[in-house]
Amino acid sequence: PVKGTAAVMFGRDFGSASDAVTTIDHVTFTKVNADVQAEVAIGAVDTAQGSILVQNCTIKDYKYGMYFSGAKNLEVTGNAIDGTQYNGIMVENAVADYNVKITNNTLTNISSANFSDPFYSSGISFGETVTNTTVTDNTVEMLNGKQDIYYQGTAVVDSQEELTTALANSEIKNIIISGNITLADNTFYNIDRKVSISGETDASIT
């Protein structure tokens, strides 16, 4: 999990009413001093009762831009995040069957630490339990060739080699086919777990 403190952090008792909406709008977060202890600009942990809306904010030079855990009806839209060491936006987990919307954000110079685990080094990262997501119209510019959007437990593949690698990885439970894959003759996969395979528009396996 993300360690350290946040410039703005909402805890489990915040927004306790089921219809409460916490809004952060047009706020600028700039870490101008290395001695500042906050490692995340905006954080929320176990705010499972109310909803959170973060919009039109500017974040610069934090380890992480935003971190959410246990969120319910989360919407992050129209924000600018620049110069993080790790994720720009991380949604570690969310309340089942509620929506997470990440739209129209601009992320630049993300992941300067060049950390190996994509869960912490991608631009926008979702934990395995975050299932109801809308991710559209985001501009993400990564450093060090890191992944712009990452879904934990999910692999996006467009070749037989990538498909084989994903099926062999016990942590992968969802595979998305993004291209036209032609399998070699007599291809056989022995899978010892449940794996969901779906395809993007015009994707195929032959």
Side-chain angles (χ1 to χ4, degrees), residues 13-30:
D13 294 327
F14 196 91
S16 57
S18 61
D19 59 350
V21 179
T22 300
T23 301
I24 304 175
D25 187 8
H26 282 96
V27 181
T28 297
F29 300 86
T30 303

Side-chain angles (χ1 to χ4, degrees), residues 114-172:
N114 198 20
F115 193 63
S116 59
D117 187 344
F119 187 46
Y120 298 100
S121 65
S122 57
I124 302 171
S125 181
F126 298 99
E128 188 174 337
T129 62
V130 184
T131 54
N132 290 357
T133 60
T134 300
V135 185
T136 59
D137 300 320
N138 298 289
T139 300
V140 184
E141 297 180 5
M142 301 298 298
L143 299 173
N144 302 307
K146 295 301 183 181
Q147 194 166 329
D148 54 354
I149 301 173
Y150 176 75
Y151 297 85
Q152 190 178 45
T154 297
V156 180
V157 304
D158 63 4
S159 68
Q160 181 174 351
E161 180 181 4
E162 291 181 351
L163 175 62
T164 301
T165 299
L167 289 171
N169 185 343
S170 61
E171 295 182 358
I172 299 299

Side-chain angles (χ1 to χ4, degrees), residues 31-51:
K31 190 170 182 179
V32 296
N33 190 325
D35 295 330
V36 174
Q37 294 300 308
E39 298 185 348
V40 185
I42 300 171
V45 179
D46 294 336
T47 54
Q49 298 300 318
S51 302

Side-chain angles (χ1 to χ4, degrees), residues 1 6 10 42 60 62 66 68 77 130 132 147 160 176 178 198-199:
F10 300 104
I42 300 171
K60 184 173 176 60
Y62 280 81
M66 303 181 193
F68 303 97
T77 184
V130 184
N132 290 357
Q147 194 166 329
Q160 181 174 351
I176 300 174
S178 65
S198 60

